[in-house]
Coordinates of all heavy atoms in Angstrom, one line a residue:
M1 N 10.5 4.6 -31.0 CA 10.3 5.8 -30.3 C 10.4 5.5 -28.8 O 9.9 4.5 -28.3 CB 8.9 6.3 -30.6 CG 8.5 7.5 -29.7 SD 6.9 8.1 -30.1 CE 7.3 9.4 -31.2
I2 N 11.1 6.4 -28.1 CA 11.2 6.3 -26.6 C 9.9 6.8 -26.0 O 9.5 7.9 -26.2 CB 12.4 7.1 -26.1 CG1 13.7 6.6 -26.8 CG2 12.5 7.1 -24.6 CD1 14.9 7.5 -26.5
S3 N 9.4 5.9 -25.1 CA 8.1 6.3 -24.5 C 8.3 6.7 -23.0 O 7.3 7.1 -22.4 CB 7.1 5.1 -24.5 OG 7.6 4.0 -23.9
G4 N 9.5 6.7 -22.5 CA 9.7 7.1 -21.2 C 11.0 6.6 -20.6 O 11.7 5.7 -21.2
Y5 N 11.3 7.0 -19.4 CA 12.4 6.6 -18.6 C 12.0 6.2 -17.2 O 11.0 6.7 -16.8 CB 13.5 7.6 -18.5 CG 14.1 8.0 -19.8 CD1 13.6 9.0 -20.6 CD2 15.2 7.3 -20.3 CE1 14.2 9.4 -21.8 CE2 15.8 7.6 -21.5 CZ 15.3 8.7 -22.3 OH 15.9 9.0 -23.5
Q6 N 12.7 5.3 -16.6 CA 12.3 5.0 -15.2 C 13.5 4.7 -14.3 O 14.5 4.3 -14.9 CB 11.3 3.8 -15.2 CG 11.9 2.5 -15.7 CD 10.9 1.4 -15.6 OE1 9.8 1.5 -15.2 NE2 11.3 0.2 -16.1
A7 N 13.3 4.9 -13.1 CA 14.4 4.5 -12.1 C 13.9 3.3 -11.4 O 12.7 3.2 -11.0 CB 14.6 5.6 -11.1
I8 N 14.7 2.3 -11.3 CA 14.4 1.0 -10.6 C 15.1 1.1 -9.3 O 16.4 1.0 -9.2 CB 14.8 -0.2 -11.4 CG1 14.0 -0.2 -12.8 CG2 14.5 -1.5 -10.7 CD1 14.4 -1.2 -13.7
L9 N 14.4 1.2 -8.2 CA 15.0 1.3 -6.9 C 15.2 0.0 -6.3 O 14.5 -1.0 -6.5 CB 14.0 2.1 -5.9 CG 13.6 3.5 -6.4 CD1 12.6 4.1 -5.5 CD2 14.9 4.4 -6.5
S10 N 16.3 -0.1 -5.5 CA 16.7 -1.4 -4.8 C 16.2 -1.2 -3.4 O 16.8 -0.4 -2.6 CB 18.2 -1.6 -4.9 OG 18.5 -2.6 -3.9
P11 N 15.2 -2.0 -3.0 CA 14.7 -1.9 -1.6 C 15.8 -2.1 -0.6 O 15.9 -1.4 0.4 CB 13.6 -2.9 -1.5 CG 13.2 -3.2 -2.9 CD 14.4 -2.9 -3.7
K12 N 16.6 -3.1 -0.9 CA 17.7 -3.5 0.0 C 18.7 -2.3 0.2 O 19.1 -2.0 1.3 CB 18.4 -4.7 -0.5 CG 19.4 -5.3 0.5 CD 20.0 -6.6 0.0 CE 21.0 -7.1 1.1 NZ 21.5 -8.4 0.6
A13 N 19.1 -1.7 -0.9 CA 20.0 -0.6 -0.9 C 19.4 0.6 -0.1 O 20.2 1.4 0.5 CB 20.4 -0.2 -2.3
L14 N 18.1 0.7 -0.1 CA 17.4 1.8 0.6 C 17.2 1.5 2.1 O 16.6 2.3 2.8 CB 16.1 2.2 -0.1 CG 16.3 2.8 -1.5 CD1 14.9 2.9 -2.2 CD2 17.0 4.1 -1.4
G15 N 17.6 0.3 2.5 CA 17.4 -0.1 3.9 C 16.1 -0.9 4.2 O 15.8 -1.1 5.4
Y16 N 15.4 -1.3 3.2 CA 14.2 -2.0 3.4 C 14.5 -3.5 3.1 O 14.8 -3.9 2.0 CB 13.1 -1.6 2.4 CG 12.7 -0.1 2.6 CD1 13.1 0.9 1.8 CD2 11.9 0.2 3.7 CE1 12.8 2.2 2.0 CE2 11.5 1.5 3.9 CZ 12.0 2.5 3.0 OH 11.6 3.8 3.2
G17 N 14.3 -4.3 4.2 CA 14.7 -5.7 4.1 C 13.6 -6.7 3.7 O 13.9 -7.8 3.4
V18 N 12.4 -6.2 3.6 CA 11.3 -7.1 3.3 C 10.4 -6.4 2.3 O 10.2 -5.2 2.2 CB 10.4 -7.3 4.6 CG1 9.2 -8.2 4.3 CG2 11.3 -7.9 5.7
T19 N 9.8 -7.2 1.4 CA 8.7 -6.8 0.5 C 7.5 -7.6 0.8 O 7.5 -8.8 0.9 CB 9.0 -7.0 -1.0 OG1 10.2 -6.1 -1.3 CG2 7.9 -6.5 -1.9
A20 N 6.4 -6.9 1.2 CA 5.1 -7.6 1.5 C 4.0 -7.0 0.6 O 4.0 -5.9 0.2 CB 4.8 -7.3 3.0
F21 N 3.1 -7.9 0.2 CA 2.0 -7.6 -0.6 C 0.8 -7.7 0.3 O 0.6 -8.8 0.9 CB 1.9 -8.4 -1.8 CG 3.0 -8.1 -2.8 CD1 4.2 -8.8 -2.8 CD2 2.8 -7.1 -3.8 CE1 5.2 -8.6 -3.6 CE2 3.9 -6.9 -4.7 CZ 5.1 -7.6 -4.6
V22 N -0.1 -6.7 0.4 CA -1.2 -6.7 1.3 C -2.5 -6.5 0.5 O -2.6 -5.6 -0.3 CB -1.1 -5.6 2.3 CG1 -2.3 -5.6 3.3 CG2 0.2 -5.7 3.1
S23 N -3.4 -7.5 0.6 CA -4.7 -7.4 -0.1 C -5.7 -6.7 0.8 O -5.8 -7.1 2.0 CB -5.2 -8.7 -0.5 OG -4.2 -9.3 -1.4
I24 N -6.5 -5.8 0.3 CA -7.5 -5.1 1.0 C -8.9 -5.3 0.4 O -9.1 -5.2 -0.8 CB -7.2 -3.6 1.0 CG1 -5.8 -3.3 1.6 CG2 -8.3 -2.8 1.7 CD1 -5.6 -3.6 3.0
M25 N -9.8 -5.6 1.3 CA -11.2 -5.7 0.8 C -12.0 -4.6 1.5 O -12.0 -4.4 2.7 CB -11.8 -7.1 1.3 CG -13.2 -7.3 0.8 SD -13.9 -8.9 1.5 CE -12.7 -10.1 0.9
M26 N -12.7 -3.8 0.7 CA -13.5 -2.7 1.2 C -14.9 -3.1 1.5 O -15.5 -3.9 0.8 CB -13.5 -1.6 0.1 CG -12.2 -1.1 -0.4 SD -11.3 -0.1 0.7 CE -12.0 1.5 0.3
D27 N -15.4 -2.5 2.6 CA -16.8 -2.8 3.0 C -17.8 -2.0 2.1 O -18.9 -2.4 1.8 CB -17.1 -2.4 4.4 CG -16.5 -3.4 5.4 OD1 -16.2 -4.5 5.0 OD2 -16.2 -3.0 6.6
T28 N -17.3 -0.8 1.7 CA -18.1 0.2 0.9 C -17.2 0.6 -0.2 O -16.0 0.7 -0.1 CB -18.5 1.3 1.8 OG1 -19.2 0.9 2.9 CG2 -19.2 2.4 1.1
H29 N -17.9 1.0 -1.3 CA -17.2 1.4 -2.5 C -17.5 2.8 -3.0 O -17.5 3.2 -4.1 CB -17.4 0.4 -3.6 CG -16.9 -0.9 -3.4 ND1 -17.6 -1.9 -2.7 CD2 -15.7 -1.5 -3.6 CE1 -16.9 -3.0 -2.6 NE2 -15.7 -2.7 -3.1
S30 N -17.8 3.7 -2.0 CA -18.2 5.1 -2.4 C -16.9 5.8 -2.8 O -15.8 5.5 -2.3 CB -18.9 5.8 -1.3 OG -18.0 6.1 -0.2
K31 N -17.0 6.9 -3.6 CA -15.9 7.7 -3.9 C -15.2 8.4 -2.7 O -14.0 8.5 -2.6 CB -16.3 8.8 -4.9 CG -16.6 8.2 -6.3 CD -17.0 9.3 -7.3 CE -17.3 8.8 -8.6 NZ -17.7 9.8 -9.6
E32 N -16.1 8.8 -1.8 CA -15.5 9.5 -0.6 C -14.7 8.5 0.2 O -13.6 8.9 0.7 CB -16.7 10.0 0.3 CG -17.5 11.1 -0.4 CD -18.5 10.6 -1.4 OE1 -18.9 9.4 -1.3 OE2 -18.9 11.4 -2.3
I33 N -15.1 7.3 0.4 CA -14.3 6.3 1.2 C -13.1 6.0 0.4 O -12.0 5.9 1.0 CB -15.2 5.0 1.4 CG1 -16.4 5.3 2.1 CG2 -14.3 3.9 2.0 CD1 -16.4 5.2 3.6
A34 N -13.1 5.8 -0.9 CA -11.9 5.5 -1.7 C -10.9 6.6 -1.6 O -9.7 6.4 -1.4 CB -12.3 5.3 -3.1
R35 N -11.4 7.9 -1.6 CA -10.5 9.0 -1.5 C -9.8 9.1 -0.1 O -8.6 9.3 0.1 CB -11.2 10.3 -1.8 CG -11.4 10.5 -3.2 CD -12.0 11.9 -3.5 NE -12.4 12.0 -4.9 CZ -13.6 12.2 -5.3 NH1 -14.6 12.4 -4.5 NH2 -13.9 12.2 -6.6
A36 N -10.6 8.8 1.0 CA -10.1 8.8 2.3 C -9.0 7.7 2.5 O -8.0 7.9 3.1 CB -11.2 8.6 3.3
F37 N -9.3 6.5 1.9 CA -8.3 5.4 1.9 C -7.1 5.8 1.2 O -5.9 5.6 1.7 CB -9.0 4.2 1.3 CG -8.1 3.0 1.2 CD1 -7.8 2.2 2.3 CD2 -7.6 2.6 -0.1 CE1 -7.0 1.1 2.2 CE2 -6.8 1.5 -0.2 CZ -6.5 0.7 1.0
E38 N -7.2 6.4 0.0 CA -6.0 6.8 -0.8 C -5.2 7.8 0.0 O -4.0 7.7 0.1 CB -6.5 7.4 -2.1 CG -5.3 7.9 -3.0 CD -5.8 8.4 -4.3 OE1 -6.8 7.9 -4.8 OE2 -5.2 9.4 -4.7
Q39 N -5.8 8.8 0.6 CA -5.1 9.8 1.4 C -4.3 9.1 2.6 O -3.2 9.5 2.9 CB -6.1 10.9 1.9 CG -6.5 11.8 0.9 CD -5.3 12.5 0.2 OE1 -4.5 13.0 0.8 NE2 -5.3 12.4 -1.2
R40 N -5.0 8.1 3.2 CA -4.3 7.4 4.3 C -3.0 6.8 3.8 O -2.0 6.8 4.4 CB -5.1 6.3 4.9 CG -6.1 6.6 5.9 CD -5.6 7.0 7.2 NE -6.7 7.5 7.9 CZ -7.0 7.5 9.1 NH1 -6.1 7.0 9.9 NH2 -8.1 8.0 9.6
L41 N -3.1 6.1 2.7 CA -1.9 5.4 2.1 C -0.8 6.4 1.7 O 0.4 6.0 1.9 CB -2.3 4.6 0.9 CG -3.3 3.4 1.1 CD1 -3.6 2.7 -0.2 CD2 -2.8 2.5 2.2
L42 N -1.2 7.5 1.3 CA -0.2 8.5 0.9 C 0.7 9.0 2.1 O 1.8 9.5 2.0 CB -0.8 9.7 0.2 CG -1.4 9.5 -1.2 CD1 -2.1 10.7 -1.7 CD2 -0.3 9.1 -2.1
D43 N 0.1 8.8 3.3 CA 0.8 9.2 4.5 C 1.8 8.1 5.0 O 2.5 8.4 6.0 CB -0.2 9.5 5.6 CG -1.0 10.7 5.4 OD1 -0.5 11.6 4.6 OD2 -2.1 10.9 5.9
I44 N 1.9 7.0 4.3 CA 2.7 5.9 4.8 C 3.8 5.7 3.8 O 3.6 5.1 2.7 CB 1.9 4.6 5.0 CG1 0.7 4.8 5.9 CG2 2.8 3.5 5.5 CD1 -0.3 3.7 5.9
P45 N 5.0 6.2 4.0 CA 6.1 6.1 3.0 C 6.5 4.7 2.6 O 7.1 4.5 1.5 CB 7.2 6.9 3.6 CG 7.0 7.0 5.1 CD 5.5 6.8 5.2
E46 N 6.3 3.8 3.5 CA 6.7 2.4 3.2 C 5.9 1.7 2.2 O 6.2 0.7 1.6 CB 6.8 1.5 4.5 CG 7.8 2.0 5.5 CD 7.3 3.0 6.5 OE1 6.1 3.5 6.3 OE2 8.0 3.4 7.4
I47 N 4.7 2.3 1.9 CA 3.8 1.7 0.9 C 4.2 2.4 -0.4 O 4.1 3.6 -0.6 CB 2.3 2.0 1.2 CG1 1.9 1.2 2.4 CG2 1.5 1.5 0.0 CD1 0.5 1.5 2.9
V48 N 4.8 1.5 -1.3 CA 5.4 2.1 -2.5 C 4.5 1.9 -3.7 O 4.8 2.5 -4.8 CB 6.8 1.5 -2.8 CG1 7.8 1.9 -1.6 CG2 6.8 0.0 -2.9
A49 N 3.5 1.1 -3.6 CA 2.6 1.0 -4.8 C 1.2 0.5 -4.2 O 1.2 -0.2 -3.3 CB 3.1 0.0 -5.8
C50 N 0.2 0.9 -4.9 CA -1.2 0.5 -4.5 C -1.9 0.3 -5.8 O -2.0 1.2 -6.7 CB -1.9 1.4 -3.6 SG -3.5 0.9 -3.1
H51 N -2.5 -0.9 -6.0 CA -3.2 -1.2 -7.3 C -4.7 -1.6 -7.0 O -4.9 -2.3 -6.0 CB -2.6 -2.4 -8.0 CG -1.1 -2.2 -8.3 ND1 -0.7 -1.5 -9.4 CD2 0.0 -2.5 -7.6 CE1 0.6 -1.4 -9.4 NE2 1.1 -2.0 -8.3
N52 N -5.6 -1.1 -7.8 CA -7.0 -1.4 -7.7 C -7.1 -2.7 -8.5 O -6.7 -2.8 -9.7 CB -7.8 -0.3 -8.3 CG -9.3 -0.6 -8.1 OD1 -9.9 -1.4 -8.8 ND2 -9.9 0.1 -7.2
V53 N -7.6 -3.8 -7.9 CA -7.6 -5.1 -8.5 C -9.0 -5.6 -8.6 O -9.9 -5.2 -7.9 CB -6.7 -6.1 -7.8 CG1 -5.2 -5.7 -7.9 CG2 -7.1 -6.3 -6.4
S54 N -9.2 -6.6 -9.5 CA -10.6 -7.2 -9.6 C -10.5 -8.5 -8.8 O -9.5 -9.1 -8.5 CB -10.9 -7.4 -11.0 OG -10.0 -8.3 -11.7
G55 N -11.7 -9.1 -8.5 CA -11.8 -10.3 -7.8 C -12.2 -10.1 -6.4 O -12.9 -9.2 -6.1
R56 N -11.8 -11.0 -5.5 CA -12.2 -11.0 -4.1 C -11.8 -9.7 -3.4 O -12.5 -9.1 -2.6 CB -11.7 -12.2 -3.4 CG -12.1 -12.2 -2.0 CD -11.6 -13.5 -1.3 NE -12.1 -13.5 0.1 CZ -11.8 -14.4 1.0 NH1 -11.0 -15.3 0.7 NH2 -12.2 -14.3 2.2
Y57 N -10.6 -9.2 -3.7 CA -10.1 -8.0 -3.0 C -10.2 -6.8 -3.9 O -10.3 -6.9 -5.1 CB -8.6 -8.2 -2.6 CG -8.5 -9.3 -1.6 CD1 -8.1 -10.6 -1.9 CD2 -8.8 -9.1 -0.2 CE1 -8.1 -11.6 -1.0 CE2 -8.8 -10.1 0.7 CZ -8.4 -11.4 0.3 OH -8.3 -12.4 1.2
D58 N -10.1 -5.6 -3.3 CA -10.3 -4.4 -4.0 C -9.0 -3.7 -4.4 O -8.8 -3.1 -5.4 CB -11.2 -3.4 -3.3 CG -12.6 -4.0 -3.1 OD1 -13.2 -4.3 -4.0 OD2 -13.0 -4.1 -1.9
F59 N -8.0 -3.8 -3.4 CA -6.7 -3.2 -3.6 C -5.6 -4.2 -3.2 O -5.8 -5.0 -2.3 CB -6.6 -1.9 -2.7 CG -7.5 -0.8 -3.1 CD1 -8.7 -0.7 -2.5 CD2 -7.2 0.0 -4.1 CE1 -9.6 0.3 -2.8 CE2 -8.0 1.1 -4.5 CZ -9.2 1.2 -3.9
C60 N -4.5 -4.0 -3.8 CA -3.3 -4.7 -3.3 C -2.1 -3.7 -3.3 O -1.9 -2.9 -4.2 CB -2.9 -5.8 -4.3 SG -1.4 -6.7 -3.9
W61 N -1.5 -3.6 -2.1 CA -0.4 -2.7 -2.0 C 0.9 -3.4 -1.8 O 1.0 -4.5 -1.3 CB -0.6 -1.6 -1.0 CG -0.5 -1.9 0.5 CD1 0.6 -2.6 1.0 CD2 -1.3 -1.6 1.5 NE1 0.4 -2.7 2.4 CE2 -0.8 -2.1 2.7 CE3 -2.5 -0.9 1.6 CZ2 -1.3 -1.9 4.0 CZ3 -3.1 -0.8 2.9 CH2 -2.5 -1.3 4.0
R62 N 2.0 -2.8 -2.3 CA 3.3 -3.3 -2.1 C 3.9 -2.4 -1.0 O 3.9 -1.2 -1.0 CB 4.2 -3.2 -3.4 CG 5.6 -3.8 -3.2 CD 6.4 -3.8 -4.4 NE 5.8 -3.1 -5.5 CZ 6.5 -2.5 -6.5 NH1 7.8 -2.7 -6.5 NH2 5.9 -1.8 -7.4
W63 N 4.5 -3.1 0.0 CA 4.9 -2.5 1.2 C 6.4 -2.9 1.5 O 6.7 -4.0 1.4 CB 4.0 -2.9 2.3 CG 4.3 -2.4 3.7 CD1 5.0 -1.3 4.0 CD2 3.9 -3.0 4.9 NE1 5.0 -1.1 5.4 CE2 4.3 -2.2 6.0 CE3 3.1 -4.1 5.2 CZ2 4.1 -2.4 7.3 CZ3 2.9 -4.4 6.6 CH2 3.3 -3.6 7.6
W64 N 7.2 -1.9 1.8 CA 8.6 -2.2 2.1 C 8.9 -1.8 3.5 O 9.5 -0.8 3.8 CB 9.5 -1.3 1.2 CG 9.6 -1.7 -0.2 CD1 9.2 -2.8 -0.8 CD2 10.3 -1.0 -1.3 NE1 9.4 -2.8 -2.2 CE2 10.2 -1.7 -2.5 CE3 11.0 0.2 -1.3 CZ2 10.7 -1.3 -3.7 CZ3 11.5 0.7 -2.5 CH2 11.4 -0.1 -3.7
P65 N 8.5 -2.7 4.5 CA 8.9 -2.4 5.9 C 10.4 -2.7 6.0 O 11.0 -3.5 5.3 CB 8.1 -3.4 6.7 CG 7.8 -4.5 5.7 CD 7.7 -3.9 4.3
R66 N 11.0 -2.1 6.9 CA 12.5 -2.3 7.1 C 12.8 -3.7 7.7 O 13.8 -4.3 7.5 CB 13.1 -1.2 8.0 CG 13.0 0.1 7.3 CD 13.8 1.2 7.9 NE 13.6 2.5 7.3 CZ 14.3 2.9 6.2 NH1 15.2 2.1 5.6 NH2 14.0 4.0 5.7
T67 N 11.8 -4.2 8.5 CA 12.0 -5.6 9.1 C 10.6 -6.3 9.1 O 9.6 -5.6 8.8 CB 12.5 -5.5 10.6 OG1 11.5 -4.9 11.4 CG2 13.8 -4.8 10.6
W68 N 10.6 -7.5 9.6 CA 9.3 -8.2 9.7 C 8.5 -7.7 10.8 O 7.3 -7.7 10.7 CB 9.6 -9.7 9.9 CG 9.9 -10.5 8.7 CD1 11.1 -11.0 8.4 CD2 9.0 -10.8 7.6 NE1 11.0 -11.7 7.2 CE2 9.8 -11.6 6.7 CE3 7.7 -10.6 7.4 CZ2 9.2 -12.1 5.5 CZ3 7.1 -11.1 6.2 CH2 7.9 -11.8 5.3
S69 N 9.1 -7.2 11.9 CA 8.3 -6.8 13.0 C 7.2 -5.8 12.8 O 6.1 -5.9 13.4 CB 9.2 -6.3 14.2 OG 9.9 -5.2 13.7
P70 N 7.3 -4.9 11.9 CA 6.2 -3.9 11.7 C 5.0 -4.5 10.9 O 4.0 -3.8 10.7 CB 6.8 -2.7 11.0 CG 8.2 -3.0 10.7 CD 8.5 -4.4 11.2
L71 N 5.1 -5.7 10.4 CA 4.1 -6.3 9.6 C 2.7 -6.2 10.2 O 1.7 -6.2 9.6 CB 4.4 -7.7 9.1 CG 5.5 -7.8 8.0 CD1 5.8 -9.2 7.7 CD2 5.0 -7.1 6.8
A72 N 2.7 -6.3 11.5 CA 1.4 -6.2 12.2 C 1.1 -4.8 12.8 O 0.2 -4.7 13.6 CB 1.4 -7.2 13.4
S73 N 1.8 -3.8 12.3 CA 1.6 -2.5 12.9 C 1.2 -1.5 11.9 O 0.1 -1.5 11.4 CB 2.9 -2.1 13.6 OG 3.9 -2.0 12.7
S74 N 2.0 -0.5 11.6 CA 1.7 0.8 11.0 C 0.6 0.8 9.9 O -0.4 1.3 10.2 CB 3.0 1.4 10.5 OG 2.8 2.6 9.9
P75 N 0.8 0.3 8.7 CA -0.2 0.4 7.7 C -1.5 -0.3 8.1 O -2.6 0.1 7.8 CB 0.4 -0.2 6.5 CG 1.8 0.0 6.7 CD 2.1 -0.2 8.2
V76 N -1.4 -1.5 8.7 CA -2.6 -2.2 9.1 C -3.4 -1.4 10.1 O -4.6 -1.3 9.9 CB -2.2 -3.6 9.7 CG1 -3.4 -4.4 10.2 CG2 -1.5 -4.4 8.6
R77 N -2.8 -0.9 11.2 CA -3.5 -0.1 12.1 C -4.1 1.1 11.5 O -5.2 1.5 11.7 CB -2.6 0.3 13.3 CG -2.4 -0.8 14.3 CD -1.8 -0.2 15.6 NE -0.8 0.8 15.4 CZ 0.5 0.7 15.5 NH1 1.0 -0.5 15.6 NH2 1.3 1.7 15.3
C78 N -3.3 1.7 10.6 CA -3.7 3.0 9.9 C -5.0 2.7 9.1 O -6.0 3.4 9.2 CB -2.6 3.5 9.0 SG -3.1 4.9 8.1
C79 N -5.0 1.6 8.4 CA -6.1 1.4 7.5 C -7.3 0.8 8.3 O -8.5 1.0 7.9 CB -5.8 0.4 6.4 SG -4.7 1.3 5.2
R80 N -7.1 0.2 9.4 CA -8.2 -0.2 10.3 C -9.0 1.0 10.8 O -10.2 0.9 11.1 CB -7.8 -1.0 11.4 CG -7.4 -2.4 11.0 CD -7.1 -3.3 12.2 NE -6.8 -4.6 11.8 CZ -6.0 -5.4 12.4 NH1 -5.4 -5.0 13.5 NH2 -5.7 -6.6 12.0
R81 N -8.3 2.2 10.8 CA -9.0 3.4 11.3 C -9.8 4.1 10.1 O -10.5 5.0 10.3 CB -8.0 4.4 11.8 CG -7.4 3.9 13.2 CD -6.6 5.0 13.8 NE -5.6 5.6 12.9 CZ -4.3 5.3 12.9 NH1 -3.9 4.3 13.7 NH2 -3.5 5.9 12.2
C82 N -9.5 3.6 8.9 CA -10.2 4.2 7.7 C -11.7 3.8 7.8 O -12.0 2.6 8.2 CB -9.6 3.7 6.4 SG -8.1 4.4 6.0
P83 N -12.6 4.6 7.3 CA -14.0 4.2 7.3 C -14.3 3.3 6.1 O -15.1 3.7 5.2 CB -14.7 5.6 7.2 CG -13.7 6.4 6.4 CD -12.3 5.9 6.9
V84 N -13.7 2.2 6.0 CA -13.9 1.2 4.9 C -14.5 -0.1 5.4 O -14.5 -0.4 6.5 CB -12.6 1.0 4.1 CG1 -12.1 2.2 3.5 CG2 -11.5 0.4 5.1

């Protein structure tokens, strides 16, 4: 039985030259904070996946910046402003 179809995107073909994985540790685990964090991530198109993980960190996101230079900028600054 066919359970679904998927498109596999090529980051390079889309102009993204780097794949970075970012681990996030939350200070607080309330539903409101988690929702605010999720909404922030939805505003960043370069973040293509976010997973809730167990262990030391709470989330791991996959990020496709176009170059290395933004690695210290956009999503990191954005999430530092989150109340987490």
Side-chain angles (χ1 to χ4, degrees):
M1 172 179 265
I2 298 171
S3 61
Y5 295 92
Q6 65 181 355
I8 300 174
L9 303 176
S10 167
K12 187 175 182 179
L14 294 170
Y16 298 101
V18 177
T19 297
F21 293 89
V22 179
S23 297
I24 302 296
M25 183 185 302
M26 307 284 276
D27 288 337
T28 300
H29 294 89
S30 72
K31 287 182 182 180
E32 294 80 21
I33 300 267
R35 284 189 188 118
F37 177 75
E38 181 180 323
Q39 286 303 309
R40 276 293 166 146
L41 294 182
L42 291 172
D43 292 337
I44 305 170
E46 294 88 358
I47 295 177
V48 296
C50 182
H51 302 276
N52 188 282
V53 296
S54 62
R56 181 176 181 186
Y57 296 100
D58 298 303
F59 295 95
C60 179
W61 77 47
R62 184 172 13 150
W63 180 23
W64 287 353
R66 294 194 186 275
T67 66
W68 279 109
S69 60
L71 284 175
S73 62
S74 180
V76 175
R77 280 197 324 263
C78 176
C79 288
R80 282 187 180 149
R81 292 190 307 262
C82 285
V84 296

